[in-house]
Amino acid sequence: MLYREAGQFKASYEADQQIFPILQDRVGVLLLIGFFALVVPLIADQYWLKAILIPVLIFSLAAIGLNILTGYAGQLSLGSAAFMAVGAFGAYNFMLRIDGMPFLVAILLGGLCAALVGVMFGLPSLRIKGFYLAVATLAAQFFIVWALVKIEWFSNYSSSGVITAQEIEILGYAFDGPVSKYLLTLFVVVVMALLAKNMVRSTTGRAWMAVRDMDVAAEVIGIRLMRTKLTAFAVSSFYCGVAGALYAYTYIGTVEPEGFNLDLSFRILFMIIIGGVGSIMGSFLGAAFIVLLPIALDVFVPMFLGDLVSSSFVSNLQLIVFGGLIVFFLIVEPHGLARLWQIGKEKLRLWPFPH
Amino acid sequence: MKLKKTVILGAAIAGLLGSSMAVAAEQFIGLPSYRVGPYAAGGSGIFGGWIDYMQMINERDGGINGVKLAWEECETEYNNARGVECYERLKSKGETGNSVFQPLSTGITYSVLDKVAKDQIPLVTMGYGRTDAADGRVFPYVFPLITTYWSQATTMVKYIANKEGGTDKLKGKKIALLYHDSAYGKESHAVLEKMAERYGYELTKLAVAHPGNEQQSQWLQIRQLRPDWVILWGWGVMNPTALKSAAKTGFSREKMVGVWWSGAEEDTVPAGSAAKGFTAAGYNVAGADYPVIKDIETNVYAKGKGNMEDKSRVGSVYYNRGVVHGLITVEAIRKAQEKFGKGKALTGEQVRWGFENLDIDDKRLAEMGATGFLPPLKTSCMDHEGSGKVKYQQWDGSKWNVVTDWIDADKELVRGMIEESAAAYAKEKGITPRDCSKEM
């Protein structure tokens, strides 16, 4: 009933080719964006903006990046955090070394640097697959972090190897408060997420999926493997790179290469596994789950148990509950949280008259 | 939580009575602790000691001039993003907001470095963090108190020189630096190289990849190189591995000097007998015989309010380091109360003044029962480090024994480098350094 598509006729090519062909989706997404862009800045306090919403948005973008590579093109990668690092250090150096570099251009250039590096480390994917490819991307993870520490030029010869993000200024307006930084992050993430959503149903996206499902068959029907796999690496790393630049500029402020370690790559991988492999919305759900659940546990577990048990026990208990919940969700819904939404949508279509 | 409820209850009762009776003031201290993950051993020891000390102040003295200390922990897991979340969460808690942030993680320190100046909360990093923040003109809110990595590196050379019989004997000696291949490990390079130029020793740098449980090739190089000394700039599992590999290679542990993050029971006990004879720096010492630790035992543990699950760790290096954190924080608040009003809860900005005007001399140390426990400390607007002194302790197979008096850093060398680096930072960020003659 609520999700009935009957009667929504597509009378033109434009109508047929929209990103969200169903009216309910369009309205829903518009309402959602409107809520986060207009209502949230009014009601959320600094803590929510700076410590919750901005990181969720940034990690969603990184998860979309990995989802393009792993979920859509089927190439397993363990180097997402390293590509984020390339984006962050790239944007930093463009801002530092070129006078009057506009911020948005700098993060896009940072993303392009990451795309280049991604293509380089994607080359082995032409020969190796699956877990072996994961090992090759693992090399990217270690090599990039090592190189950023080793080559001091990247951090402008800072003695401790860290970079401090410059102030953000766009058209003379300084983005220094939590609200403006949040809105800037939201803008970049929304635009790039819509682009990704559009891309995965285009020729490029369909070629990725064909390669994912069976690369020999894809080759037989005329899809060029090299180009397809490398564009997947490039686009994916670009997304991760932009996420990394935002991580440095709108979230943390001062970053060190070690911050982008293997642990972070795994967290991004968990985000897409929990959220849904091969789903743009799943990337958002997964990022929210992985970022917010530990914080929620840290707030609520001591509230209920704080006086009864020692703080070390409380901290360990959080990890146990976190791990337990991940296992629970994967058993209940192996296709991720995005699949739950899909099921819900189908139920809503029939509601209130299920078979 | 309990304290908070009491306050709310108190406030409610006071409101009901309609009297002007003020609620007892509370000073809130947010603790970004980590009790899980690879560095949990350090985190639980340091935060345990710190909490125990504050508990002791509340129990023994009824707080600082009647202002009780209140605190809340927030688990960071040693993760930068979680640390930022904790910083934001703890920021506005308590009557006057968080009075000090001490993350015990270099990564989190860098992540909140710019935020603290805006929020006016002092960031205290004892024995880690950004060395050039010791220049208080550029970093008014950051306090790398007691000593920094650069100061430590100079004391190491001094210690080695002492053992060799004078700085002139260093000429031609070979020193190998076995370091954790990270920003932390590289922090020492510039200073050690500068000193190598001055004293004529030969420095070989050997990087160990994180986490450092594989060091065969490095120790092979050491065997070929035959250095006179090995400086161990390690972290976590890298330390016991280095000690064990040294034993296998046949390199004398007496000729190995560790940094303060290599010199805890957690680093030596896993290495077993291989650790015997190893010496490490420390800005606090181990041992439970100091009056301040005894006070904690009688006022906190005897009442069953201790924070440590394993009471035998009271008096260990990490635990005592936590006590130092508590002690200096309490002293800064006490100092700030002298200026801004006793018996009041202070804001972060006011506590910052306290940290900047700390003066813990020998007399004050004796009053606190901490003579020899930590070095005397005097900070100023110019100098946010305050001391630069460390002691060296040797592991005898079962415990750490202090083997030197406080060794002072080469202030003149380090200070020059700090000012140079801070000036470069100020230029990059467009900060105008404060004029210290106008501060009081």
Side-chain angles (χ1 to χ4, degrees), chain B residues 106-376:
Chain B
T106 301
I108 299 174
T109 302
Y110 282 120
S111 306
V112 298
L113 198 72
D114 290 335
K115 300 184 184 10
V116 289
K118 265 185 209 139
D119 299 325
Q120 303 196 317
I121 295 171
L123 172 68
V124 177
T125 63
M126 279 180 221
Y128 61 93
R130 192 171 179 121
T131 301
D132 56 7
D135 190 339
R137 293 170 303 176
V138 179
F139 297 90
Y141 282 88
V142 189
F143 295 85
L145 282 175
I146 305 187
T147 176
T148 61
Y149 288 134
W150 293 356
S151 296
Q152 171 173 241
T154 63
T155 67
M156 282 184 148
V157 174
K158 274 193 183 175
Y159 171 79
I160 292 173
N162 278 348
K163 286 273 164 184
E164 293 285 351
T167 43
D168 49 324
K169 298 269 168 42
L170 284 174
K171 199 164 179 65
K173 288 274 183 293
K174 282 189 240 171
I175 298 179
L177 170 69
L178 190 69
Y179 68 96
H180 189 264
D181 197 6
S182 62
Y184 151 72
K186 290 176 63 174
E187 191 91 19
S188 57
H189 289 187
V191 178
L192 287 175
E193 275 162 8
K194 242 189 183 160
M195 295 194 90
E197 275 171 34
R198 185 181 294 180
Y199 297 122
Y201 61 81
E202 204 181 298
L203 182 72
T204 312
K205 292 172 286 186
L206 301 166
V208 177
H210 179 80
N213 46 8
E214 188 52 65
Q215 298 177 17
Q216 269 179 357
S217 67
Q218 287 87 353
W219 283 94
L220 195 68
Q221 267 175 282
I222 290 176
R223 192 150 71 184
Q224 288 161 349
L225 189 72
R226 295 178 182 279
D228 299 286
W229 289 87
V230 168
I231 294 178
L232 176 62
W233 206 283
W235 188 217
V237 68
M238 175 179 159
N239 296 321
T241 313
L243 291 169
K244 278 192 225 160
S245 314
K248 257 189 242 161
T249 317
F251 187 84
S252 166
R253 258 73 72 227
E254 261 117 49
K255 298 280 184 187
M256 281 177 75
V257 196
V259 287
W260 50 64
W261 299 117
S262 299
E265 287 77 1
E266 283 75 6
D267 301 310
T268 48
V269 170
S273 60
K276 206 173 158 189
F278 170 59
T279 315
Y283 56 86
N284 65 288
V285 295
D289 297 330
Y290 294 89
V292 59
I293 305 288
K294 293 261 179 270
D295 271 356
I296 291 176
E297 278 172 352
T298 50
N299 289 301
V300 179
Y301 281 90
K303 293 181 185 167
K305 290 183 176 169
N307 188 272
M308 300 300 288
E309 278 173 321
D310 178 4
K311 213 201 137 250
S312 67
R313 289 181 69 196
V314 173
S316 69
V317 170
Y318 280 144
Y319 182 87
N320 287 5
R321 195 160 292 167
V323 172
V324 169
H325 276 85
L327 196 146
I328 290 181
T329 307
V330 166
E331 279 307 293
I333 295 169
R334 203 187 295 280
K335 187 83 194 175
Q337 280 195 6
E338 281 169 19
K339 182 178 163 80
F340 298 103
K342 288 185 182 174
K344 274 198 326 193
L346 304 175
T347 64
E349 168 63 21
Q350 291 165 334
V351 176
R352 187 203 73 82
W353 186 89
F355 276 110
E356 193 159 86
N357 293 279
L358 277 175
D359 187 5
I360 306 177
D361 51 9
D362 287 322
K363 190 169 142 272
R364 183 70 196 133
L365 280 176
E367 281 167 19
M368 291 188 294
T371 305
F373 189 74
L374 73 158

Side-chain angles (χ1 to χ4, degrees), chain A residues 8-306:
Chain A
Q8 296 186 26
F9 300 113
K10 287 144 194 159
S12 64
Y13 283 119
E14 286 83 46
D16 198 33
Q17 288 177 347
Q18 304 179 75
I19 300 181
F20 299 102
I22 306 171
L23 178 71
Q24 287 90 331
D25 279 344
R26 269 200 304 279
V27 175
V29 166
L30 272 178
L31 281 178
L32 213 58
I33 294 175
F35 174 74
F36 278 101
L38 301 174
V39 183
V40 164
L42 296 177
I43 56 171
D45 61 4
Q46 270 202 25
Y47 168 70
W48 271 89
L49 291 174
K50 278 163 114 172
I52 306 278
L53 291 166
I54 292 181
V56 168
L57 285 171
I58 291 171
F59 283 118
S60 301
L61 192 60
I64 292 174
L66 183 63
N67 228 333
I68 287 173
L69 187 62
T70 305
Y72 287 98
Q75 313 295 311
L76 193 55
S77 163
L78 291 175
S80 341
F83 298 131
M84 282 177 75
V86 175
F89 278 77
Y92 167 78
N93 277 301
F94 280 115
M95 291 283 277
L96 179 78
R97 292 173 205 285
I98 300 172
D99 250 357
M101 172 61 93
F103 173 72
L104 287 176
V105 179
I107 60 168
L108 291 183
L109 285 174
L112 281 180
C113 291
L116 265 176
V117 177
V119 167
M120 252 160 27
F121 281 96
L123 286 172
S125 70
L126 305 175
R127 283 294 174 89
I128 48 180
K129 285 177 199 159
F131 290 115
Y132 301 97
L133 181 64
V135 174
T137 54
L138 197 62
Q141 170 68 47
F142 287 114
F143 175 79
I144 290 167
V145 172
W146 173 82
L148 290 176
V149 174
K150 190 82 186 168
I151 304 169
E152 286 165 347
W153 184 84
F154 288 127
S155 54
N156 198 21
Y157 303 98
S158 132
S159 60
S160 40
V162 301
I163 55 168
T164 305
Q166 297 88 343
E167 297 292 323
I168 309 171
E169 208 185 276
I170 298 174
L171 300 175
Y173 180 77
F175 286 74
D176 47 6
V179 175
S180 58
K181 278 187 177 168
Y182 163 73
L183 287 175
L184 179 65
T185 315
L186 184 73
F187 170 73
V188 176
V189 173
V190 164
V191 168
M192 290 191 59
L194 288 175
L195 276 176
K197 181 94 189 147
N198 195 31
M199 191 157 32
V200 293
R201 33 167 233 142
S202 68
T203 324
T204 327
R206 286 173 204 279
W208 289 339
M209 286 185 264
V211 169
R212 170 191 69 191
D213 291 341
M214 193 176 179
D215 55 354
V216 178
E219 212 171 357
V220 167
I221 57 170
I223 291 170
R224 285 154 65 185
L225 276 194
M226 186 171 97
R227 199 167 80 175
T228 315
K229 282 184 177 176
L230 291 186
T231 47
F233 266 98
V235 173
S236 156
S237 308
F238 178 78
Y239 273 74
C240 287
V242 173
L246 288 175
Y247 184 83
Y249 279 86
T250 63
Y251 180 38
I252 299 264
T254 305
V255 293
E256 47 168 359
E258 279 89 20
F260 299 99
N261 54 12
L262 183 62
D263 193 50
L264 185 62
S265 286
F266 273 120
R267 279 160 56 92
I268 298 170
L269 186 64
F270 295 154
M271 284 171 196
I272 69 165
I273 293 175
I274 296 276
V277 175
S279 157
I280 299 294
M281 189 179 66
S283 309
F284 283 93
L285 297 176
F289 186 90
I290 298 281
V291 174
L292 299 186
L293 188 60
I295 296 173
L297 287 173
D298 195 41
V299 173
F300 292 114
V301 172
M303 206 179 271
F304 294 117
L305 291 173

